[in-house]
Amino acid sequence: MIIHSAEAQQASFFTYHGGARKILVVNDGEVPYDNACFAPGVARSALSKIRNTTEHFRLPHNILVLRSGDRTVLMDAGNGHNSGGLLTANLQTAGIQPQEVTDIVLTHAHPDHICGLVQADRQLVFPAATIHLSCEEYTFWQSAAPDFSRSKEATAVLSAMQQEIRTILTSTESRLQLFSGSTPLFDFLKPVAAAGHTPGHYMFEIQSEDKSFMHMGDICHDDQVLFRHPDWGTVFDIDFMQAAQVRVAVLRQMALSGQLVFGYHLPWPGFGQVVADGEAFRWVPEINC
Ligand SMILES: [Zn+2]
């Protein structure tokens, strides 16, 4: 594999070559979040030892694009007409038109991953694309009364978010294809269940030449706090405790394997490795940009 570091300086897209399979990262922009969203229940004085708590967290949206044969696959769809939402423009800068996208694989159905599927008038942004979502995720958000009791977010906030998600799932219903388990979606993309952040949250193992790397989805939302304290979590976790347990287990396994990892919200362009650091972990970016 060759990483073109010069291209990493570009804000719109990043080219990562994997032989015959072309791999890109397209920048959907970033969204600021109040630091209260992170480490809920943890004293801000403790959090301030790791980061400046007077500043918002700024979460990038890194959209992995896999081109193989006649397939063009997006991993998640970004924030759409909400803040960020640069995916379509930056895809076109990378030479990819929306109608060329054949598949969109969703790690989960949080708005910052699915709003980019539809325009403000609910028309499909990628009209030819099949949208792959886990069965568990679809069932949870479409249920009449999802169980939010294990989240640290206010129920009113979660209920409003559910409505937003349901609107998008309804708008895209004709293109949705549900999956479950670890059966590969394509010969280069294998789902790995990682419930907790949401009930149907999945990671994906991506085959590139003779190696593979892991798209970790939303296992970690930043490169500092959740690596140092995986148990501190976020208000975005639907099952806070399960998300923390899965985060620790995944980071431990990644540190052991030393494999290349990709993160949707990790610093642009999102590639790196997880390294064990005592009982905690560190994120080591593949390139600094
Ligand atoms: Zn997210």
Side-chain angles (χ1 to χ4, degrees):
M1 292 183 186
I2 306 164
I3 290 181
H4 292 269
S5 57
E7 292 183 27
Q9 304 303 321
Q10 297 183 12
S12 54
F13 71 96
F14 169 78
T15 304
Y16 181 97
H17 283 293
R21 189 160 301 128
K22 192 169 186 188
I23 299 174
L24 310 171
V25 186
V26 174
N27 184 0
D28 183 55
E30 61 178 23
V31 176
Y33 290 88
D34 191 289
N35 78 77
C37 296
F38 287 77
V42 174
R44 296 302 90 174
S45 56
L47 183 62
S48 69
K49 294 191 173 118
I50 299 174
R51 74 185 312 277
N52 182 348
T53 52
T54 63
E55 290 180 358
H56 281 33
F57 280 75
R58 304 194 70 82
L59 270 54
H61 299 164
N62 306 319
I63 313 283
L64 197 65
V65 181
L66 311 167
R67 307 196 86 181
S68 182
D70 56 2
R71 280 194 194 279
T72 296
V73 181
L74 305 187
M75 304 298 296
D76 289 327
N79 217 21
H81 56 274
N82 298 324
S83 59
L86 304 176
L87 173 61
T88 308
N90 284 337
L91 260 183
Q92 288 172 318
T93 302
I96 301 171
Q97 301 305 314
Q99 56 270 25
E100 291 179 68
V101 176
T102 58
D103 299 271
I104 301 168
V105 178
L106 301 173
T107 57
H108 62 300
H110 269 157
D112 57 318
H113 298 251
I114 69 169
C115 283
L117 293 172
V118 295
Q119 298 165 4
D121 63 1
R122 302 293 168 207
Q123 295 299 304
L124 295 172
V125 173
F126 305 100
T130 299
I131 301 164
H132 305 263
L133 177 67
S134 77
C135 197
E136 302 93 313
E137 190 75 351
Y138 181 85
T139 302
F140 179 78
W141 293 110
Q142 290 289 44
S143 66
D147 180 5
F148 293 135
S149 65
R150 289 187 282 274
S151 166
K152 297 207 175 188
E153 181 58 281
T155 303
V157 172
L158 292 166
S159 295
M161 185 171 70
Q162 186 198 7
Q163 290 315 309
E164 186 179 11
I165 292 169
R166 288 181 78 160
T167 299
I168 294 168
L169 293 182
T170 301
S171 302
T172 56
E173 189 90 43
S174 64
R175 307 299 308 176
L176 273 179
Q177 188 161 308
L178 303 182
F179 67 87
S180 189
S182 57
T183 304
L185 298 184
F186 319 114
D187 62 355
F188 53 88
L189 193 73
K190 182 178 161 194
V192 179
H197 178 58
T198 64
H201 177 249
Y202 272 74
M203 306 189 294
F204 291 87
E205 187 179 346
I206 294 153
Q207 196 67 35
S208 177
E209 294 183 315
D210 57 342
K211 293 191 246 175
S212 65
F213 67 96
M214 189 71 83
H215 186 321
M216 66 150 67
D218 274 16
I219 289 290
C220 284
H221 290 72
D222 83 316
D223 63 336
Q224 300 290 329
V225 176
L226 294 177
F227 285 87
R228 299 273 292 276
H229 294 279
D231 57 324
W232 279 6
T234 73
V235 298
F236 314 125
D237 301 326
I238 296 297
D239 186 328
F240 187 89
M241 289 300 294
Q242 185 186 23
Q245 288 162 2
V246 167
R247 189 177 299 115
V248 169
V250 166
L251 292 179
R252 190 172 289 144
Q253 192 278 326
M254 286 172 169
L256 267 176
S257 72
Q259 71 189 127
L260 184 66
V261 176
F262 176 85
Y264 185 82
H265 291 301
L266 294 176
W268 173 261
F271 287 105
Q273 284 182 301
V274 179
V275 174
D277 187 1
E279 290 296 300
F281 303 92
R282 276 187 298 116
W283 174 250
V284 179
E286 181 81 8
I287 51 172
N288 293 306
C289 51

